[in-house]
Amino acid sequence: MAQPSDGIGQENLRVRSGDLVAGRYLVTVAGPDGSEVQPCPPHRYPEPRRRPVGGAGSGAGAAAGPGPMPAVGPVALGAAPGDLPLLDREGQVAQLVGMLSEGRSIRLLGDPGSGRSALLAAVAEAAAGLAPDGVVQLSGYRRTADDLLQDLFAAGYQADGYRPDRARLLELLARVGAVVVIDEVGPDGAELEELLAAAPECAFLLSVAPGSGGALPVGSRLEDQLLGGLSREACLALLARLTGRPLDEAERSWAVDLWFESQGLPLRFVQAAALLRRRDAEVDARLAAAEDRGTLFGRPAEPAGLTDPAIREAELRATVALPSVAEVAAPAQLLLEGLSDEALAVLRLAVAFGGECPTAPHLPALIDVDHGESALRELTECGLAESLGGHHRLTAGVLTALAPRWGTDAQITEGAAEHFAWWVGHASVSGAQIAAEAEVLLGALRAERAAGRPAAVLGLARSAAPALALALRWGAWRQVLELGAEQARALGSARDEAWFQHELGVLWLCQDQPEQARTALEAAGRLRSGAGDSRGMLASRRLLTMSQRLELEPAASEAQTQAIRRPVIRALAERSWQSASQSASVLRGWSRRNVLVAAGGLVVLAVVGTTVGVLGAGSSPAPAPAGATVGGDNGVSGNTMTGTGTAVSAGGATASATASGSASASASASTTATAGTPASATATAGRSHSAVPTTQQTTGGGTTAPGTPDQPAPPVAAPTTPSAPAPSDPGPASPSHSVSPPPPPTQNPTTPSAPASSAVPPTTPPPVSGSPTLKPAAAG
């Protein structure tokens, strides 16, 4: 029974740390007490920029996203059988390209080893110019639907450390128009439909992973295309190419039997070619032995017809039996006999990792193999391994055939956890490299668990989890956390289990799963409280409280935050600057008294809801009578704070206005075409203000002088001729009214001893000399 532990030693662990934005949260990964989550400030939201992936006619080929980085090995170096031209697939390539050009999406079905990956690569190359954003190639190998959406977003946009929420993701992916080619897609059903609905402007070509590919729902955008095997002639041609020589009659008959048994699967003929090459090597060894015997002991006399080396080679080849068709159906055991020691060691490591082959740079540290590229090349040429998803994996049926023979090799995986824990924490390793090796890390964790080394599992899980979180491989991140929590529970380490539960709570919170997040955070808090980790307990409780509070609030997506908060703030800043500059220019020409009067006038206009335009008749102003006094700047006297005033025109007409803050208001105005007729406008309200004294600007003759430098004369409409009828525009308060034109007032510098009056600047612009009758101002 495992003894309880306070936690593994963390002093030698290299742990990555950093910040990322996930939805509406700012996540600080690998903090002292675990990852921290807080609402993301608006200024921290990234601005995704479109990534050029090659448009139509640009000549750019297929653009690969960040997930499926090419693996180091024979496929990437261009020396593997997979780089041979496709045989018997030209019609299918043309058909698929034609369907994609019509905007249709295809799901490619087929048995393992039918050549789906090679066909997808050929279609991606042929469809490079179909869509505006080119072709995006992704790997779906052991990736969730959320991982595929993130990979598609990263292929179309440049935004490091950003995982948008669903609303923002749908908004961004709706702008991408590309041909999306995904190999080995695991999700199906509703998850697959969500993937297609997230990018409505894209055409998809998917190949289904073994064990997936259920029935499509009704109304699906996908159309199923079944990929069968090659024709008999194509299989024979492929076998001859990979063998490196023409086939004899016995080999052709053997290949035809294999074609009937395998239904023309290309993988079976790749493996059969490896068996024929091994047979040729045995024939060459026999020829070399015969030459050595002839050199040492002398050659016997031979007939003239047998001196041709090709004839002798054919005779020796006939003496080496071909494997049976049943043996070729499961050739892994036969292919082991011809492998080199390095290739055999790599194969054993891959079996221990659950079928995942680490890339070549890791092999010298894991199994002391100096030429890892050559070993991977040998496995690929034999049909035992293939490159997919950024690394190599064993082909279909190989793991099943070899696992019972080797079982769990604890010796070959010893030290693998320490190596990968050091590697994921090294500063020179990029996030893309970690994402490409995610399946290898999971394989190493499972191998260490099977070997009975839980401490090694905890050390690797503690180092790999933050690295996978920052690399945005969250499907693998969740599996690492679950494995770590399981091993910590088995080891009895409460602190380590609490750390993994805390990280699981962060993951579920960022993926908008509040129930699962609350369960994990509550478990982390209880474990930390029982272990005496008060600081860690407070961190988990704080995160739990924040998640509960945010759960009650409406979840505003970051798309709304970016579209509403940030642009509005910029717009308000610009508007405030403009209004400040305009106010400064107005105050330079107007006095404080006029500004107060203008504010009172605006209150009147807001309550009444209309503006009365002043029109007049006549081309010359009427002279003011002797002794007439015009109050204020514009002939208006009254109280500016109560909003009441009386306007005295040159012809004796008066106008009065009263305003206050009540909800009801009334206004009336009456005008006549003859000068001297009084005109009045009243507006009543319930609230009153205190009166303030104002000054009056007069001249010695009693009339207002023209404008002064600090008090410009407000513009006044010019009167019209008496014979011209004055147009009338009835306002909302009176059915009809006429306006008597006042003369243009004059003003002098302000006299301190003048009587108090107020001035209201007119709202109409100054007329041009000799202009026709002005139209009344529009109603407010």
Side-chain angles (χ1 to χ4, degrees), residues 560-615:
Q560 296 175 343
T561 304
Q562 288 185 343
I564 296 176
R565 293 181 184 174
R566 302 178 71 183
V568 166
I569 291 175
R570 289 196 295 266
L572 289 178
E574 295 176 17
R575 184 176 300 176
S576 301
W577 182 85
Q578 293 176 357
S579 61
S581 61
Q582 293 175 358
S583 301
S585 62
V586 170
L587 290 176
R588 280 194 299 268
W590 285 20
S591 66
R592 176 183 176 88
R593 176 170 47 81
N594 286 343
V595 172
L596 294 176
V597 175
L602 290 177
V603 172
V604 174
L605 293 179
V607 175
V608 176
T610 184
T611 303
V612 180
V614 180
L615 300 177

Side-chain angles (χ1 to χ4, degrees), residues 178-371:
V179 174
V180 182
V181 180
I182 310 179
D183 195 10
E184 291 284 328
V185 174
D188 53 13
E191 289 184 329
L192 198 56
E193 293 302 318
E194 290 180 3
L195 174 64
L196 269 67
E201 300 299 325
C202 294
F204 287 83
L205 176 60
L206 314 174
S207 71
V208 178
S212 304
L216 293 174
V218 179
S220 174
R221 286 177 53 192
L222 286 173
E223 304 177 36
D224 281 340
Q225 291 288 324
L226 182 62
L227 181 63
L230 299 176
S231 64
R232 184 174 65 179
E233 290 75 14
C235 287
L236 294 177
L238 177 62
L239 185 60
R241 283 187 179 185
L242 297 178
T243 305
R245 58 174 177 80
L247 303 177
D248 56 25
E249 291 300 325
E251 292 169 342
R252 289 180 64 87
S253 300
W254 176 74
V256 170
D257 293 340
L258 178 61
W259 177 78
F260 276 110
E261 188 274 333
S262 66
Q263 298 297 318
L265 293 180
L267 178 62
R268 302 287 292 279
F269 284 87
V270 172
Q271 295 169 342
L275 293 175
L276 289 183
R277 291 195 303 268
R278 194 189 67 180
R279 180 168 175 259
D280 289 344
E282 186 176 352
V283 171
D284 293 340
R286 292 189 179 185
L287 283 174
E291 289 292 335
D292 291 341
R293 286 194 302 268
T295 302
L296 292 175
F297 304 104
R299 295 182 178 86
E302 296 178 353
L306 297 178
T307 57
D308 189 356
I311 297 177
R312 293 180 60 190
E313 183 179 352
E315 288 182 348
L316 287 174
R317 187 178 295 115
T319 62
V320 180
L322 288 167
S324 65
V325 175
E327 291 175 331
V328 181
Q333 299 288 347
L334 294 177
L335 291 172
L336 291 179
E337 300 175 5
L339 294 178
S340 64
D341 293 340
E342 291 186 342
L344 195 60
V346 173
L347 185 59
R348 293 184 65 181
L349 179 65
V351 171
F353 280 179
E356 310 297 338
C357 297
T359 50
H362 295 290
L363 297 178
L366 294 174
I367 52 177
D368 196 18
V369 172
D370 295 333
H371 305 287

Side-chain angles (χ1 to χ4, degrees), residues 369-385:
V369 172
D370 295 333
H371 305 287
E373 293 87 352
S374 300
L376 290 172
R377 176 192 182 113
E378 188 175 352
L379 293 176
T380 306
E381 289 178 347
C382 292
L384 296 175

Side-chain angles (χ1 to χ4, degrees), residues 406-573:
W406 287 331
T408 302
D409 193 347
Q411 183 178 0
I412 197 172
T413 60
E414 187 175 2
E418 289 78 4
H419 165 74
F420 284 115
W422 168 84
W423 179 73
V424 297
H426 203 277
S428 63
V429 180
S430 65
Q433 291 175 301
I434 295 174
E437 300 274 0
E439 284 74 28
V440 177
L441 296 175
L442 288 169
L445 285 170
R446 297 188 180 101
E448 295 288 1
R449 180 184 60 179
R453 292 189 284 262
V457 175
L458 292 182
L460 177 56
R462 289 290 296 262
S463 297
L468 291 171
L470 293 171
L472 299 180
R473 279 297 310 272
W474 283 12
W477 182 27
R478 178 181 58 81
Q479 296 182 57
V480 169
L481 293 176
E482 291 173 349
L483 279 172
E486 173 192 336
Q487 290 299 295
R489 194 177 306 114
L491 192 62
S493 176
R495 288 179 178 268
D496 290 322
E497 185 182 357
W499 187 89
F500 287 112
Q501 291 291 347
H502 179 92
E503 295 299 299
L504 280 171
V506 172
L507 171 63
W508 295 126
L509 183 62
C510 294
Q511 290 187 333
D512 292 330
Q513 301 289 337
E515 292 294 334
Q516 295 174 334
R518 180 165 54 250
T519 302
L521 291 173
E522 288 175 352
R526 289 193 301 268
L527 289 169
R528 286 177 164 175
S529 177
D533 185 5
S534 58
R535 194 176 67 177
M537 180 192 64
L538 291 176
S540 298
R541 295 282 178 85
R542 181 170 60 250
L543 196 57
L544 178 62
T545 303
M546 189 203 71
S547 65
Q548 293 173 346
R549 184 178 66 252
L550 293 177
E551 191 175 348
L552 300 177
E553 299 176 357
S557 65
E558 65 219 67
Q560 296 175 343
T561 304
Q562 288 185 343
I564 296 176
R565 293 181 184 174
R566 302 178 71 183
V568 166
I569 291 175
R570 289 196 295 266
L572 289 178

